[in-house]
Amino acid sequence: MHIKACLFDLDGVIVDTAKYHYLAWKELAERLGFEFTEAQNERLKGVSRMASLNILLEIGNIRASETEKIQMTNNKNKRYLEFIEQMQPDEILPGVLPFLESLKKAGIKAAIGSASKNAPGIIEKLQISHFFDAIIDGNTVTNAKPNPEVFLKGALALNVLPSECVVFEDAASGIEAALNGGMKCIGVGHSEILQNADLVISGFINFSIDRLMEL
Ligand code: B16
Ligand code: MG
């Protein structure tokens, strides 16, 4: 198949911000009086901030008013921003930069498709904005993954068809979003979690654009 564009999830694909999201949610859970494990955190990956809180409260069996929930998400985000404050380009996951460079050389377009409202700030800190022809993030999308909106908007911005795109995702909800949008999808992480992807890779080291043509 002929791939004209790659759409990248941000958290967990380009950079491991997932660990900082986890730490910030874990702190909130502890303040609310319960343990929040890394396995439970899998359910929050790719999920919007408020939807993540709702899952967390369900796990802790805790009820909260809308006002309290807004307060909790604000506090969580404040803490998350403190964690990522010092983030540097050296936190870009191994193999990502060479792969982005090879896309540019091959004339394959690239976009970010992230649920995060913090995506623009992170991309700036990582100094990688020049690699992307479009950035679609939590500020521009109303329907969260597994709804394909974020990736369909990406394809539209790049002026390519969904069937000409490959999505790179670390979350089960993101894999579903890509497939729901009629795109090919490469899972980045563990195959037990990302089993619905067309291909699962552990990371970008030794991953080359030739493999895109096998999809
Ligand atoms: P924020 P992605 C997602 O980013 C994260 O995976 C998810 O854990 C987070 O809750 C969501 O962004 C919202 O992030 O609170 O920064 O708006 O994986 O879609 O790039
Ligand atoms: Mg992700």
Side-chain angles (χ1 to χ4, degrees), residues 27-48:
E27 280 189 7
L28 174 62
E30 278 161 9
R31 270 208 310 283
L32 294 170
F34 66 97
E35 265 299 311
F36 178 55
T37 67
E38 266 194 272
Q40 290 167 330
N41 185 58
E42 275 309 312
R43 289 178 64 193
L44 271 51
K45 288 187 178 173
V47 176
S48 75

Side-chain angles (χ1 to χ4, degrees), residues 27-212:
E27 280 189 7
L28 174 62
E30 278 161 9
R31 270 208 310 283
L32 294 170
F34 66 97
E35 265 299 311
F36 178 55
T37 67
E38 266 194 272
Q40 290 167 330
N41 185 58
E42 275 309 312
R43 289 178 64 193
L44 271 51
K45 288 187 178 173
V47 176
S48 75
R49 200 178 301 169
M50 189 50 88
S52 298
L53 176 69
N54 286 330
I55 295 172
L56 190 85
L57 294 178
E58 182 201 298
I59 291 169
N61 204 10
I62 284 175
R63 279 167 184 266
S65 69
E66 286 313 304
T67 319
E68 287 169 329
K69 285 186 188 179
I70 290 169
Q71 187 76 51
M72 285 176 195
T73 49
N74 285 346
N75 286 343
K76 181 267 170 180
N77 194 50
K78 207 171 146 239
R79 198 63 187 112
Y80 174 69
L81 289 176
E82 283 168 11
F83 284 130
I84 64 167
E85 168 77 36
Q86 305 299 330
M87 201 158 69
Q88 303 274 333
D90 63 6
E91 284 196 51
I92 296 170
L93 288 168
V96 168
L97 284 180
F99 184 66
L100 290 172
E101 272 155 17
S102 68
L103 289 180
K104 261 216 175 307
K105 276 196 199 122
I108 298 175
K109 293 177 181 174
I112 290 283
S114 167
S116 174
K117 291 185 174 168
N118 295 304
I122 293 170
I123 290 163
E124 201 179 307
K125 275 186 203 298
L126 299 178
Q127 300 171 20
I128 51 171
S129 58
H130 57 288
F131 285 116
F132 300 104
D133 305 290
I135 292 173
I136 314 293
D137 60 41
N139 302 294
T140 35
V141 166
T142 34
N143 300 296
K145 301 168 187 175
N147 186 294
E149 184 186 354
V150 67
F151 296 129
L152 291 177
K153 281 193 169 160
L156 203 62
L158 299 181
N159 202 18
V160 294
L161 294 171
S163 59
E164 294 168 329
C165 297
V166 180
V167 169
F168 290 87
E169 255 293 347
D170 71 315
S173 59
I175 304 279
E176 296 313 317
L179 299 177
N180 288 338
M183 298 171 180
K184 293 284 177 192
C185 188
I186 298 183
V188 184
H190 301 288
S191 45
E192 6 5 311
I193 295 164
L194 309 172
Q195 63 221 353
N196 292 339
D198 295 294
L199 171 73
V200 178
I201 58 175
S202 57
F204 285 89
I205 284 193
N206 298 327
F207 183 78
S208 71
I209 50 177
D210 314 340
R211 306 263 322 262
L212 299 180

